[in-house]
Amino acid sequence: MRDVAIGGIGQTPVGEHWDISLRHLALRAIQAAMADAGVTRADALYVGNMLAGQLAGQENLGALIADFAGLRGIEAYKVEAACGSGAAALRAGYLAVAGGMADVVLVVGVEKMTDAGSADATSALAMAADADYEASQGLSFVAINALLMRRYMHEYGYSRDDFAPFAINAHRNALHNPHAMFHFAVSPERYAAAAMISDPVNLLDSSPICDGAAAVVLMPVERAREVAKAPVRIAASAVGTDTVAVHDRRDPLVLDGAVLSAQRAYRQAGVGPQEIDLFELHDAFSIIAALSLEAAGFAPRGQGVRLALEGEIGIEGRIPISTMGGLKARGHPVGATGMYQIVELVQQLRGEAGANQVPGARRGMAQNIGGSGAIAITHILEAV
Amino acid sequence: MRDVAIGGIGQTPVGEHWDISLRHLALRAIQAAMADAGVTRADALYVGNMLAGQLAGQENLGALIADFAGLRGIEAYKVEAACGSGAAALRAGYLAVAGGMADVVLVVGVEKMTDAGSADATSALAMAADADYEASQGLSFVAINALLMRRYMHEYGYSRDDFAPFAINAHRNALHNPHAMFHFAVSPERYAAAAMISDPVNLLDSSPICDGAAAVVLMPVERAREVAKAPVRIAASAVGTDTVAVHDRRDPLVLDGAVLSAQRAYRQAGVGPQEIDLFELHDAFSIIAALSLEAAGFAPRGQGVRLALEGEIGIEGRIPISTMGGLKARGHPVGATGMYQIVELVQQLRGEAGANQVPGARRGMAQNIGGSGAIAITHILEAV
């Protein structure tokens, strides 16, 4: 197995891109990543995407995007793991380079959700849940997260307002990220007054429906040292899964898939949570941010919210999260999200995160989750 | 890179499985493959599927099926490449084992198309075409193939009836395959009288809408020699792509993606077409069978139909195709098809193909195509 590096990164702003198509979005991220890596060709392209079939009537995105990016002929296909599709595609690309099957691999996560109505998007997102046992009972994806949040509050004695720090932190960090969807601060008062979506999940607990694409170029570390200006090494790449339906879980408040995924990643990298400088987690909803912090070993059970309340998730805190805005405020174009997390982590490890720079960041972790914990893909990156 | 073997195979009958769900279908194929391989666990599961989102409202199949198969926790995600999804998932599994990241990998292709109406299925299949430039113009997938077939007839001077040998051969071979959907013979008269679907494509040029699942267990060859009763080696695994929209092609009658894919596979295996004993090709439509024979080097340009007319595609012919019925008569549950091809190839190389046994088969090739040639995934298998 070869050491794999990220040699280049690219991203589009997250937002409502009604003027360009899905393939254009992907192209922009790919072109930026290739230019950043100093490459003009690739051996393979893996596309992370969840909803193009349902919302755009388009599958076969691998060949479609490879051709549109001027790479006609190369190996290319789509990888899907619900909202974890982006990082799952990175995992596929990592396997190809680490195993020696390819020397230059593109990975792009792309999603276009706003061309459809929000009812269509909500219905499409329910495909991440269990169609037979959850969605068919009328449970939307936000409703599942509302049940989890209510249970967490009940079991550990938190109030709804205790979750405010997640939104406040994410929106504060997004202010200085030009690629973020939202550029407004959130105060505790604003959080408390936010419209209720699915009690107790309010508007500011929820990531937005949006469009975006983010890409990386992978190559062996040796080659990246030669051609890339600031390569970042993939120290670990790991996947863990759990049941899709929450009621089948061992314990609904423990994301076993995320635990497995993080443990496998720590083992591969030879480090533990205390050696991680920042954590780009999957804050699709505030409750998932809390559960992720616990699953990855940054807080004991029931203490994820406590960690946030104590101010430890900020840029200067013990474990900075959502440092460029996270899913909450950078935005959550679902199949692209995992790749945005990676691109932002690379920005941090290169020292290019501007006002959001985590001081002295040398090693970071990203965890992308598909479904309400059904799959978690964890990557640990290190400055070379 | 390690040598990879198929240690076990499993398949469900292809047909209309209205009584069981998609996850049950997958489970049956997986259980059969694991029993055949003599394993009770796996490190990872890759799922080939195209239509579950559109037709069943279910994505996130990796985690869903891993859990249902009693493998909760393992790495698992879906790979999609339209009708090439099955073999694309095999490619992903191959990369994981060859690269040394996993020792026992399950790959399952699964599709359930008949629970939806045929109009829904036709509409869903159009997602394999270019949504912006083909499907949105009213071109269904069968219509695209009709244009290709008409052009082929025009350019090379064939009549419609010249395509009959493909259906006749496929249906003859399916007669003795208990897993095939159709068990009736086709005569030239029956072919000539078949209902027209999209002129010149008639009912017997078209593969059926159906359900099915097929699976394999992958492992390093050394390990397979120890535990599996009849391992088969993957001598080559290769992907080639082309434009999705046919009008963008260099030449609509040359499947450049299939050419690239076959050439890469031949190079990896160190063989040429003359050393392939049988070829499981992607006969979703008769015209694609002809173009595939040409793309893979078994017939010169315009001579694919000639090869069939000369009787060279039968079990005893120069290059047997669709030996267990092919997409045409075994059936074409789209995301599962690529894995059915592989399972059947293994049956042949083990000498377990019964009445359809290709005499002395030692090396076979399977080529699974997504879209009307947008992606082709080629595998060459060899008896160990």
Side-chain angles (χ1 to χ4, degrees):
Chain A
M1 279 179 53
R2 304 189 292 184
D3 252 9
V4 181
I6 294 173
I9 55 174
Q11 60 183 320
T12 72
V14 176
E16 301 187 355
H17 291 285
W18 297 351
D19 55 331
I20 58 171
S21 68
L22 182 131
R23 69 188 85 185
H24 277 95
L25 268 180
L27 175 68
R28 289 184 186 179
I30 287 170
Q31 285 181 326
M34 292 181 78
D36 186 49
V39 301
T40 54
R41 47 162 290 283
D43 299 318
L45 166 71
Y46 302 103
V47 178
N49 172 268
M50 177 186 177
L51 299 173
Q54 198 78 0
L55 298 183
Q58 183 70 69
E59 291 290 359
N60 224 351
L61 290 183
L64 188 92
I65 293 172
D67 172 46
F68 199 65
L71 301 165
R72 185 184 302 185
I74 66 168
E75 169 163 350
Y77 45 80
K78 164 176 156 173
V79 175
E80 189 276 331
C83 314
S85 300
L90 181 64
R91 170 70 176 162
Y94 172 83
L95 291 179
V97 179
M101 257 71 69
D103 286 330
V104 180
V105 166
L106 272 164
V107 182
V108 65
V110 60
E111 203 74 74
K112 199 153 185 354
M113 305 170 73
T114 69
D115 286 346
S118 60
D120 289 340
T122 298
S123 163
L125 286 169
M127 299 192 303
D130 191 311
D132 293 345
Y133 297 99
E134 292 181 325
S136 60
Q137 311 305 315
L139 264 180
S140 68
F141 204 66
V142 60
I144 292 172
N145 284 276
L147 291 172
L148 285 176
M149 184 169 166
R150 175 67 70 194
R151 180 77 202 163
Y152 190 96
M153 291 163 61
H154 170 78
E155 196 156 321
Y156 305 126
Y158 290 107
S159 74
R160 211 178 63 71
D161 286 350
D162 289 335
F163 289 82
F166 291 111
I168 293 169
N169 175 66
H171 277 267
R172 182 172 49 223
N173 292 342
L175 284 174
H176 304 290
N177 176 6
H179 297 100
M181 181 166 187
F182 296 130
H183 294 107
F184 62 86
V186 168
S187 63
E189 296 71 30
R190 185 163 180 172
Y191 177 84
M196 193 56 73
I197 304 297
S198 180
D199 194 2
V201 170
N202 75 23
L203 190 64
L204 291 173
D205 289 310
S206 314
S207 51
I209 289 170
C210 49
D211 311 324
V216 301
V217 177
L218 302 179
M219 47 180 82
V221 166
E222 294 68 35
R223 176 156 180 175
R225 281 189 216 271
E226 290 166 17
V227 304
K229 59 178 197 265
V232 164
R233 194 173 81 89
I234 299 182
S237 172
V239 182
T241 54
D242 198 352
T243 69
V244 172
V246 172
H247 63 257
D248 280 334
R249 302 250 167 98
R250 185 178 63 79
D251 180 334
L253 292 186
V254 180
L255 300 180
D256 278 344
V259 171
L260 278 172
S261 177
Q263 286 175 345
R264 287 169 185 163
Y266 289 139
R267 199 176 316 128
Q268 189 185 349
V271 301
Q274 66 288 354
E275 288 153 288
I276 301 295
D277 299 324
L278 71 154
F279 180 31
E280 290 301 336
L281 52 67
H282 193 86
D283 55 334
F285 297 96
S286 305
I287 179 62
I288 298 296
L291 295 177
S292 297
L293 282 168
E294 298 170 20
F298 295 106
R301 184 180 169 137
Q303 299 296 306
V305 167
R306 177 75 43 212
L307 197 72
L309 283 168
E310 289 170 354
E312 297 291 4
I313 61 170
I315 298 292
E316 306 275 350
R318 186 142 52 90
I319 182 68
I321 68 170
S322 310
T323 66
M324 302 300 280
L327 283 61
K328 174 63 202 81
R330 169 244 295 132
H332 181 26
V334 291
T337 287
M339 292 307 298
Y340 274 100
Q341 293 178 313
I342 295 294
V343 165
E344 293 163 355
L345 205 44
V346 170
Q347 289 180 302
Q348 289 283 2
L349 297 175
R350 284 180 177 181
E352 296 175 356
N356 294 344
Q357 184 64 46
V358 173
R362 299 290 299 163
R363 183 184 294 116
M365 185 159 92
Q367 190 175 67
N368 189 197
I369 292 180
S372 46
I375 179 168
I377 305 101
T378 307
H379 287 92
I380 296 176
L381 307 187
E382 294 176 352
V384 170
Chain B
M1 279 180 53
R2 303 190 292 184
D3 252 10
V4 180
I6 294 173
I9 55 175
Q11 59 183 320
T12 73
V14 176
E16 301 187 356
H17 292 285
W18 297 352
D19 55 331
I20 58 170
S21 69
L22 183 131
R23 70 189 84 184
H24 277 95
L25 269 179
L27 174 68
R28 289 184 186 178
I30 287 171
Q31 285 181 327
M34 291 181 78
D36 186 48
V39 300
T40 53
R41 47 162 291 282
D43 299 317
L45 166 71
Y46 302 103
V47 178
N49 171 268
M50 176 186 178
L51 299 172
Q54 199 78 1
L55 298 184
Q58 184 70 69
E59 292 290 359
N60 223 352
L61 290 183
L64 188 92
I65 293 172
D67 172 46
F68 199 66
L71 301 164
R72 187 184 300 184
I74 66 169
E75 170 162 349
Y77 45 80
K78 164 175 157 174
V79 175
E80 190 276 330
C83 314
S85 299
L90 181 64
R91 170 69 176 161
Y94 172 83
L95 291 179
V97 179
M101 256 71 68
D103 286 330
V104 180
V105 166
L106 271 164
V107 182
V108 64
V110 60
E111 203 75 75
K112 198 153 187 351
M113 306 170 72
T114 68
D115 286 345
S118 61
D120 289 340
T122 298
S123 163
L125 286 169
M127 300 192 303
D130 191 310
D132 293 346
Y133 297 100
E134 292 180 325
S136 60
Q137 312 304 314
L139 264 179
S140 68
F141 205 65
V142 60
I144 291 173
N145 284 277
L147 291 171
L148 286 175
M149 184 169 167
R150 174 67 70 196
R151 180 76 202 167
Y152 190 97
M153 290 163 62
H154 170 79
E155 197 158 322
Y156 305 126
Y158 290 107
S159 73
R160 212 177 62 71
D161 286 351
D162 290 336
F163 289 82
F166 291 111
I168 292 169
N169 175 65
H171 277 266
R172 183 173 49 223
N173 292 341
L175 284 175
H176 304 290
N177 176 5
H179 297 99
M181 181 166 188
F182 296 130
H183 294 108
F184 62 87
V186 169
S187 64
E189 296 69 32
R190 185 164 180 171
Y191 177 84
M196 193 57 72
I197 304 294
S198 180
D199 194 3
V201 171
N202 75 23
L203 190 63
L204 290 173
D205 290 310
S206 313
S207 52
I209 288 170
C210 49
D211 312 324
V216 301
V217 177
L218 303 179
M219 47 181 81
V221 166
E222 293 69 34
R223 177 157 180 174
R225 280 187 216 272
E226 290 166 19
V227 303
K229 60 178 198 263
V232 164
R233 194 173 81 89
I234 299 182
S237 171
V239 182
T241 54
D242 198 352
T243 68
V244 172
V246 172
H247 63 258
D248 280 334
R249 304 251 166 98
R250 187 178 62 79
D251 181 333
L253 291 186
V254 180
L255 300 180
D256 277 343
V259 171
L260 278 172
S261 177
Q263 286 176 346
R264 288 170 184 161
Y266 289 139
R267 199 176 316 128
Q268 188 186 349
V271 301
Q274 67 287 352
E275 289 153 286
I276 301 295
D277 299 324
L278 70 154
F279 180 30
E280 290 302 334
L281 51 67
H282 194 88
D283 55 334
F285 297 95
S286 305
I287 178 63
I288 297 296
L291 295 178
S292 297
L293 282 167
E294 298 171 18
F298 295 106
R301 184 181 169 135
Q303 299 296 305
V305 167
R306 178 72 45 211
L307 197 72
L309 282 168
E310 289 170 354
E312 297 292 5
I313 60 171
I315 298 290
E316 306 274 350
R318 186 141 54 87
I319 183 66
I321 67 170
S322 311
T323 66
M324 302 300 281
L327 282 63
K328 174 65 202 79
R330 169 243 294 132
H332 181 27
V334 291
T337 287
M339 292 307 298
Y340 274 99
Q341 293 177 313
I342 295 294
V343 164
E344 292 163 357
L345 205 44
V346 170
Q347 290 179 301
Q348 289 283 3
L349 297 175
R350 284 181 178 180
E352 297 175 355
N356 295 343
Q357 184 63 49
V358 173
R362 299 289 299 163
R363 182 185 293 117
M365 185 159 92
Q367 190 175 67
N368 189 198
I369 292 181
S372 46
I375 179 167
I377 305 101
T378 307
H379 286 92
I380 297 176
L381 307 187
E382 294 175 352
V384 170

